[in-house]
Amino acid sequence: MATQEATEGPAPAASVPLEVRIGFAHASLQWIADRCGADLIHVKGAALDPTLVPGRGFSDADVLARPQQVRMLLDELRRHDWELINTFAYGSSFEHSATLRHKDFGLLDLHRIYPGTGPTPEQAFDTLWSARTTTVIGGRDCAVPPRAAQAALLLLHAARGGTDPKAANDVERVWTAAGPDDRERILEWVRRLDAELGFSVITGTLDDHRHDPAYDLWRVASRGGTRMDEWRARVRAARGARAKLAVAARSVLVNVEHLTIVRGRPVSRREVVAEFFERPVRGLREQVTRRAGKALGHAGARRGEPVPPATDDR
């Protein structure tokens, strides 16, 4: 028996479930925030009231930071072995969150704004912070929005989900199946957060907001579009001439962060140069494909055939 035990290899390391690691990520973030004096609101995922969408899974930690404290918090996170892999400017068309990774806890989305809320990021945070409640995540007390506010935020997130089945399920459970009282509580938070534009995607009234500078952002996010459509929308939504010029200039640059994630490794200068020249070709191809699809759909409609849905080919 002793000989057999001596020849056996070491026991395999225990695997910590993803949801447990994410819970610890929230706790780690809260510990860091408490140490540096930053205010955090934990949103979605592990922080979500389980009665809103029972059994809803999650793959990362999401937190909303007080906008004035984001830079300080980022510096503290990197001091505690959180690696920044996607900055705000390239994280999404709304430029709302940065993505960080920790070898033990997994992924974190650090939000400086929550898309759709306003009238300014600071006021939206203050509104949520003033009504915060507390829940325990990963063994630590964490601030979360009240249940109706969580529902409103989840629906704003779903509004950007396009054809994602998870987004559709969130809308079905949180809004479509909700009773009149629950709907009114959600709408109250939509009003408090100045979130009517984003929420109009849920109610099917987005086109009533065509004159809003951010309309195209929500149209592309919810219905799909090409890269060119997205960047045009970002320029239109940017506030002020300087911001518009900055977004327009960034649109022609290679998103090295995204390219690194896609390739799964650091990319070389040669690869970046190659990507710079390949992007316009892909963009033109996307535009041609999309126009051809629309023409086919219109022709089919005239013949009484079903119109194929638009695809998000970004």
Side-chain angles (χ1 to χ4, degrees), residues 170-191:
D170 289 344
V171 174
E172 171 63 30
R173 298 296 295 269
V174 178
W175 180 252
T176 308
D181 290 344
D182 282 338
R183 283 194 174 196
E184 183 52 41
R185 282 188 281 268
I186 292 171
L187 289 174
E188 174 60 26
W189 271 101
V190 170
R191 291 187 286 268

Side-chain angles (χ1 to χ4, degrees), residues 192-250:
R192 290 180 67 177
L193 293 170
D194 195 27
E196 286 85 354
L197 172 60
F199 198 76
S200 69
V201 175
I202 303 299
T203 57
T205 58
L206 176 62
D207 289 341
D208 293 347
H209 300 267
R210 286 181 180 274
H211 298 297
D212 192 300
Y215 162 79
D216 285 331
L217 268 183
W218 287 94
R219 177 182 57 80
V220 173
S222 61
R223 301 174 185 171
T226 65
R227 290 178 180 85
M228 192 172 295
D229 293 333
E230 179 184 320
W231 281 105
R232 283 173 179 162
R234 292 173 77 163
V235 171
R236 184 187 175 196
R239 297 183 178 182
R242 180 177 296 181
K244 290 182 185 294
L245 286 172
V247 173
R250 200 160 61 244

Side-chain angles (χ1 to χ4, degrees), residues 12 80 84 118 149 157 170 229 234 250 282 286-287 290 308:
H80 290 85
L84 181 65
H157 178 69
D170 289 344
D229 293 333
R234 292 173 77 163
R250 200 160 61 244
R282 285 202 305 271
E286 287 176 353
Q287 290 286 81
R290 193 164 184 82

